[in-house]
Amino acid sequence: MQASARNIPRHIAIIMDGNGRWAKQRLQPRFMGHRAGVRAVEGIVKHCVATGVEVLSLFAFSSENWRRPGKEVELLMELFSHALDNQVKRLHKNNIRLKIIGDISRFSDSLQQKIADAEALTAENQSLTINIAANYGGRWDISQAMQKLAKDVVDGKRSVDSLSEDDLSSQLITADLPEPDLFIRTGGEQRISNFLIWQLAYTELYFTDTLWPEFNAKALDQAIDWYAKRERRFGRTSEQLQGLEDA
């Protein structure tokens, strides 16, 4: 089915789960699963561009993942740094914007500099925006937004009574982007695991048993086709939606 004939989500958010299990099935160390997961990202990015998706948000490393074994965390940081070294110029060449969303202050100075350089290089690109959620948590995102609003109140720039949902949304780390239309979680688990919890309020949730290293263009098309059949009412009735379409 051609992109023009499909209801393509503007923003897809993905929890890339199953790397470790993929490696275990092959009697390989968990890190090999993460490396395979990076290769899967490359394929999905390419397909999103071809399909017409505007924003792709990928949950790479949560604020809770620091609890994993120290060696695994160390290897994940090395893999992240290596990916920045090897992929950013390619993204830029293909007009893709890269954003790292999360509290990057816990990363090494060298990794923070690589992130800043990558974001600066790709800032004006427009074919696709990729958000890599690293040291990210949805509760952290809401908390940091609330802190900004609280500071504005203390500074006299806002009043408590005037604060609204829109004000909080405007301070989230994804404030300049549309909210996700389609959420995908691979690996069989059926929870959102503190990922974009404010932004996912009206998102269609799609869960698949496919492990992330095996999630390819065909699997993404299946998710998009499922999404295209959903009726997104946003509190309205089906009859109201039909009336809007007929107007």
Side-chain angles (χ1 to χ4, degrees), residues 89-106:
K89 289 183 180 179
R90 183 181 304 175
L91 294 176
H92 184 52
K93 182 179 179 180
N94 288 281
N95 197 30
I96 295 171
R97 177 189 180 198
L98 179 66
K99 292 187 62 179
I100 308 302
I101 60 173
D103 181 7
I104 67 170
S105 64
R106 192 166 176 180

Side-chain angles (χ1 to χ4, degrees), residues 13 15 59 63-64 101 133 136-143 168-169 172-174 179-180 183 185 191-203 205:
I15 293 182
F59 206 4
S63 51
E64 289 80 18
I101 60 173
Y136 175 88
R139 291 178 176 177
W140 165 84
D141 197 3
I142 295 170
S143 296
L168 195 147
S169 293
L172 294 173
I173 203 161
T174 57
E179 293 184 346
F183 164 92
R185 180 166 187 156
R191 53 179 177 266
I192 61 174
S193 295
N194 198 21
F195 183 40
L196 300 173
I197 54 178
W198 179 278
Q199 297 90 331
L200 291 176
Y202 280 101
T203 301
L205 308 180

Side-chain angles (χ1 to χ4, degrees), residues 231-247:
E231 183 181 66
R232 307 190 71 203
R233 296 192 296 271
F234 298 98
R236 299 183 178 91
T237 65
S238 297
E239 291 74 17
Q240 284 178 304
L241 289 181
Q242 187 61 51
L244 291 172
E245 292 175 0
D246 295 340

Side-chain angles (χ1 to χ4, degrees), residues 69-130:
K71 185 60 177 179
E72 182 175 351
V73 171
E74 180 183 346
L75 290 171
L76 284 170
M77 292 299 105
E78 291 179 4
L79 184 61
F80 185 20
S81 179
H82 182 74
L84 288 172
D85 289 337
N86 288 275
Q87 298 297 329
V88 171
K89 289 183 180 179
R90 183 181 304 175
L91 294 176
H92 184 52
K93 182 179 179 180
N94 288 281
N95 197 30
I96 295 171
R97 177 189 180 198
L98 179 66
K99 292 187 62 179
I100 308 302
I101 60 173
D103 181 7
I104 67 170
S105 64
R106 192 166 176 180
F107 298 148
S108 67
D109 291 344
S110 62
L111 183 52
Q112 290 185 50
Q113 187 59 56
K114 288 182 181 181
I115 289 170
D117 292 344
E119 291 183 331
L121 178 65
T122 64
E124 303 301 321
N125 295 340
Q126 298 180 349
S127 69
L128 174 71
T129 293
I130 303 176

